[in-house]
């Protein structure tokens, strides 16, 4: 098992020696390595069992540093960067050659973001290289939102987990690219809502996930999936077809269902708030995987703001 702690000095040493550690961000925990070191990048793919065609996000501490990694930032990209960084938005920008091709799976754009978790920001400021950091979970499984989640799955593969507590947002960053006319395109819904982005950038295009979209393979249809099969839909309707309700797990938005044991139910947001639901979602999915149940029934949350990202993750958790 890895050591879990808040020692930024140790984190710095590990990374400088070419090793990987887990870092907290406001979205989910990341599996981090030196983004300038192809050896460290290769280890990231290996530890996650991630296919090499799925590119990584590069994390750094300031817009000034971002500008040393990319060429010509479109005007709207700079607007979004200034408004939302540090924070849960990732921008796809033309890469410079300092970023190894391995990090971008050979693409000419690099995904970059400035996270807003204080320990990690401090670490990034101290380092003289940026960090590649995909979510710190085995490929295809649920993203971790606590240090314990990381330790459960990757604890025997890394030595150190920087502990920032439970992630503030709980969903991955929103991924935004730019078309030929430099108009923004949302490739992955996440912690910054479409409405927030549109307030700054006007109407944006959305390229909804599909397995035929190799531009962002993290958009694979089945992803973020628990081991126990999950059905997404109206829970009451699904329950009518279930004979043994003791073997059912429920992830609801805000209410309990009377005919199912309480210990098998998680309410994402008893307060009805979408940001509460976002924070609970990945823990709830993991929690279900530890129960003595045969199936998980989940319902979509209201489809606005963070709700779009939550429903997207639920749909992918349900996909076969
Ligand atoms: O919130 C987050 O974004 C977290 C934290 C750790 O920062 N990271 C994260 O990384 O979710 P990951 O690797 O699990 O998801 C990154 C997504 C993948 O779907 C990948 O395909 C896409 O970003 N991506 C990375 N570089 C890309 C590029 N150049 N073009 C298109 N998609 C890219
Ligand atoms: Mg991921």
């Amino acid at each position: 098992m890895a050591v879990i702690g808040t020692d930024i000095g140790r984190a710095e040493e590990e990374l400088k020696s070419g090793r990987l550690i887990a870092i907290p961000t406001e979205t989910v925990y990341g599996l981090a390595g030196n983004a300038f070191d192809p050896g460290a990048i290769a280890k990231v793919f290996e530890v996650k069992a991630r296919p090499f065609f799925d590119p990584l996000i590069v994390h750094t501490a300031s817009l000034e540093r971002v500008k040393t990694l990319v060429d010509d930032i479109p005007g709207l990209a700079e607007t979004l960067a200034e408004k939302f960084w540090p924070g849960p938005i990732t921008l796809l920008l033309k890469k410079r050659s300092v970023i190894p091709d391995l990090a971008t799976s050979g693409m000419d754009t690099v995904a970059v973001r400035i996270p807003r978790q204080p320990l990690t920001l401090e670490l990034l400021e101290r380092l003289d290289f940026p960090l590649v950091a995909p979510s710190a979970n085995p490929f295809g499984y649920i993203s971790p939102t606590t240090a314990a989640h990381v330790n459960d799955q990757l604890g025997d593969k890394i030595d150190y987990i920087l502990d920032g507590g439970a992630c503030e947002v709980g969903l991955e960053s929103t991924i935004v690219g730019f078309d030929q006319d430099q108009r923004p395109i949302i490739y992955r819904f996440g912690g910054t809502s479409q409405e927030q982005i549109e307030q700054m950038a006007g109407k944006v295009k959305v390229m909804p996930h599909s397995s035929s979209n190799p531009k962002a393979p993290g958009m694979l249809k089945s992803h973020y999936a628990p081991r126990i099969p999950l059905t997404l839909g109206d829970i009451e309707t699904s329950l009518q077809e279930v004979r043994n309700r003791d073997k059912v797990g429920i992830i609801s938005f805000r209410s309990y269902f009377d005919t199912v044991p309480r210990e098998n139910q998680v309410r994402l947001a008893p307060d009805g708030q979408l940001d509460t639901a976002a924070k609970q979602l990945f823990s709830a999915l993991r929690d279900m995987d530890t129960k003595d149940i045969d199936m998980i029934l989940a319902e979509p949350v209201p489809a606005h703001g963070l709700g779009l990202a939550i429903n997207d993750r639920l749909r992918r958790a349900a996909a076969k």
Side-chain angles (χ1 to χ4, degrees):
M1 289 285 107
V3 175
I4 298 179
T6 56
D7 183 351
I8 298 179
R10 163 127 192 222
E12 200 181 346
E13 284 318 307
E14 297 272 349
L15 291 163
K16 280 185 177 160
S17 312
R19 289 189 292 273
L20 309 184
I21 62 163
I23 55 167
T25 83
E26 79 282 25
T27 60
V28 300
Y29 277 70
L31 175 66
N34 179 349
F36 288 159
D37 173 4
I41 298 171
K43 276 186 221 160
V44 169
F45 283 98
E46 185 191 315
V47 165
K48 267 191 72 105
R50 178 178 178 116
F52 282 104
F53 62 72
D54 193 2
L56 305 176
I57 297 178
V58 172
H59 299 68
T60 189
S62 65
L63 186 52
E64 202 184 318
R65 291 198 200 179
V66 169
K67 287 178 177 169
T68 67
L69 309 174
V70 305
D71 276 334
D72 52 69
I73 303 186
L76 277 178
E78 191 142 354
T79 304
L80 294 175
E82 274 163 1
K83 172 72 182 175
F84 295 115
W85 280 345
I89 189 167
T90 293
L91 302 177
L92 302 179
L93 300 169
K94 277 272 175 301
K95 95 188 225 341
R96 290 200 187 169
S97 57
V98 281
I99 303 287
D101 289 334
L102 193 56
T104 63
S105 304
M107 291 201 276
D108 61 358
T109 55
V110 58
V112 280
R113 86 176 191 98
I114 303 175
R116 73 163 176 239
Q117 207 288 333
L119 286 177
T120 289
L121 255 187
E122 163 84 34
L123 173 66
L124 286 166
E125 265 156 25
R126 288 194 199 181
L127 293 168
D128 58 7
F129 49 82
L131 296 175
V132 285
S135 52
N137 50 280
F139 185 69
Y141 195 68
I142 303 155
S143 299
T145 52
T146 67
H149 291 167
V150 179
N151 212 14
D152 284 347
Q153 290 187 303
L154 299 181
D156 55 346
K157 299 199 167 105
I158 53 176
D159 294 329
Y160 197 66
I161 301 172
L162 190 60
D163 187 359
C167 297
E168 175 205 335
V169 177
L171 293 173
E172 298 84 351
S173 59
T174 302
I175 299 183
V176 178
F178 298 87
D179 68 12
Q180 276 159 351
D181 304 323
Q182 309 206 329
R183 296 290 315 159
I185 305 171
I186 295 180
Y187 286 105
R188 176 177 76 180
F189 286 118
T192 304
S193 70
Q194 182 174 351
E195 292 95 322
Q196 282 176 299
I197 293 170
E198 290 187 333
Q199 268 174 19
M200 302 306 300
K203 195 81 193 135
V204 299
K205 276 191 266 184
V206 178
M207 303 267 276
H209 66 83
S210 84
S211 44
S212 61
N213 173 17
K215 196 94 204 263
M219 315 238 102
L220 292 175
K221 198 162 162 244
S222 169
H223 216 75
Y224 311 98
R227 277 176 286 270
I228 298 169
L230 182 146
T231 303
L232 181 64
D234 181 66
I235 293 173
E236 205 54 72
T237 310
S238 303
L239 275 175
Q240 280 160 22
E241 284 157 37
V242 173
R243 252 180 252 135
N244 186 357
R245 297 191 175 179
D246 290 347
K247 289 285 201 176
V248 174
I250 287 181
I251 299 178
S252 74
F253 180 48
R254 54 186 311 179
S255 339
Y256 285 125
F257 288 77
D258 284 342
T259 56
V260 171
R262 280 282 164 97
E263 68 265 24
N264 292 345
Q265 302 192 52
V266 179
R267 297 181 298 165
L268 292 178
D271 63 4
Q273 299 298 313
L274 289 167
D275 55 350
T276 308
K279 225 177 189 151
Q280 298 309 320
L281 177 66
F282 289 151
S283 276
L285 288 167
R286 279 174 186 262
D287 199 34
M288 287 292 151
D289 257 353
T290 67
K291 295 185 187 298
D292 180 23
I293 53 176
D294 300 330
M295 67 175 88
I296 305 165
L297 303 181
E299 65 188 357
V301 304
H304 58 84
L306 288 182
L308 297 182
I310 296 170
N311 289 339
D312 168 77
R313 301 305 187 272
L314 283 170
R315 267 195 299 278
R316 288 196 254 171
K320 295 292 159 332

